[in-house]
Amino acid sequence: MAIPTTTVLVVEDEDSFIDALTVGLAREGFRVQVARDGAQALDLFDIVQPDLVLLDVMLPKVSGIDVCRELRSRSKVPIIMVTAKASEIDTVVGLEVGADDYVSKPYRLRELVARMRAVLRRVPAAVPVGASGGGEALTVGDVALDPDRHEVVIRGEEVSLPLKEFELLTILLENAGRVLPREVLIDRVWGHDYVGDTKTLDVHVKRLRAKVEPDPAAPTRIVTIRGLGYKYEMPKAARV
Ligand code: CA
């Protein structure tokens, strides 16, 4: 499940963080490039052409805030700011410097990676784990989905889906025939935005079934795999 083509530019001046991130993010399948100060980050950016920038706020030479502003003027690259103090969060958010998200030190690598994937998912050009390359159209049985146009056609009729339902259906169709554990679905669709209880996923599945299933009371497309998660059934020839 590696993503060898996703390059992260880590802008960080503390050795302990650089070491931990280099090892940890590589293990998660990211290509890691490191800039140790703000000036180097700006120099390296055009060379590295990262898919995502992880940017410490407190940096030597050029501050993370200024680096973020400068990068934003050059590129739409996803930027996650890293803050060390609560007061810095206020600065990052209040100044609206154009960052896509922020994390506070100390953070767990798991949390950081979930946020990175969530941010990457919002960018069509950067393809996260398991997503459809290049946003190609998906057709499974009588359901067709076009990620680029955000269109879903069910049994010949165009159906309008809210964003989360659309994302959930995309992942289910991409992985048709495979069991998707609840945690994977939650991480892929909501990431760190998942603040609701564990029923949120089930509620969305129920809404999707109402649109996708010929008989929502007896699902044959989006099936529950007890104790695990959900699976989108591949169509069988005999099934109508
Ligand atoms: Ca720092």
Side-chain angles (χ1 to χ4, degrees):
M1 291 292 273
I3 5 170
T5 50
T6 304
T7 301
V8 184
L9 179 60
V10 172
V11 189
E12 175 61 71
D13 58 313
E14 285 172 65
D15 284 331
S16 60
F17 277 90
I18 293 171
D19 294 345
L21 287 169
T22 304
V23 173
L25 293 179
R27 198 183 293 140
E28 291 290 329
F30 294 96
R31 230 179 111 234
V32 180
Q33 298 281 331
V34 177
R36 287 174 174 271
D37 61 56
Q40 196 185 13
L42 294 173
D43 287 344
L44 272 182
F45 181 77
D46 291 328
I47 302 163
V48 171
Q49 299 194 333
D51 300 294
L52 186 144
V53 179
L54 191 63
L55 181 59
D56 192 28
V57 172
M58 294 295 283
L59 288 170
K61 296 185 186 173
V62 183
S63 83
I65 302 278
D66 289 335
V67 171
C68 188
R69 279 214 186 89
E70 170 61 26
L71 290 183
R72 201 35 95 233
S73 73
R74 292 191 206 172
S75 160
K76 287 181 175 156
V77 67
I79 300 172
I80 298 179
M81 303 286 288
V82 181
T83 64
K85 294 183 293 222
S87 59
E88 288 178 356
I89 297 174
D90 295 343
T91 309
V92 170
V93 175
L95 288 178
E96 291 175 4
V97 291
D100 296 270
D101 201 354
Y102 64 85
V103 292
S104 304
K105 288 179 181 175
Y107 51 77
R108 287 167 185 270
L109 186 70
R110 248 186 93 165
E111 183 204 354
L112 175 67
V113 169
R115 287 182 179 225
M116 288 169 67
R117 295 209 165 117
V119 164
L120 283 167
R121 265 200 304 274
R122 294 178 211 143
V123 184
V127 181
V129 175
S132 63
E136 67 215 63
L138 295 158
T139 303
V140 179
D142 49 17
V143 176
L145 179 148
D146 187 330
D148 287 341
R149 294 166 171 231
H150 199 95
E151 277 176 7
V152 180
V153 177
I154 300 171
R155 289 179 284 285
E157 268 186 58
E158 196 176 330
V159 177
S160 149
L161 292 182
L163 182 63
K164 292 301 181 193
E165 285 175 43
F166 184 87
E167 290 180 351
L168 184 58
L169 183 60
T170 305
I171 293 158
L172 286 165
L173 292 178
E174 278 170 356
N175 296 283
R178 289 170 56 192
V179 178
L180 291 164
R182 298 176 59 84
E183 307 78 60
V184 169
L185 289 169
I186 289 167
D187 182 59
R188 287 282 308 275
V189 177
W190 287 273
H192 69 283
D193 296 333
Y194 197 81
V195 289
D197 57 40
T198 54
K199 293 272 181 257
T200 304
L201 172 63
D202 306 295
V203 169
H204 280 76
V205 167
K206 195 176 173 193
R207 288 184 192 148
L208 262 187
R209 278 175 173 158
K211 293 157 188 167
V212 170
E213 299 283 350
D215 176 7
T220 53
R221 308 304 205 257
I222 305 170
V223 297
T224 303
I225 309 297
R226 289 213 185 284
L228 266 177
Y230 293 99
K231 178 170 82 165
Y232 198 97
E233 284 283 9
M234 294 293 270
K236 291 176 186 151
R239 186 170 282 158
V240 179

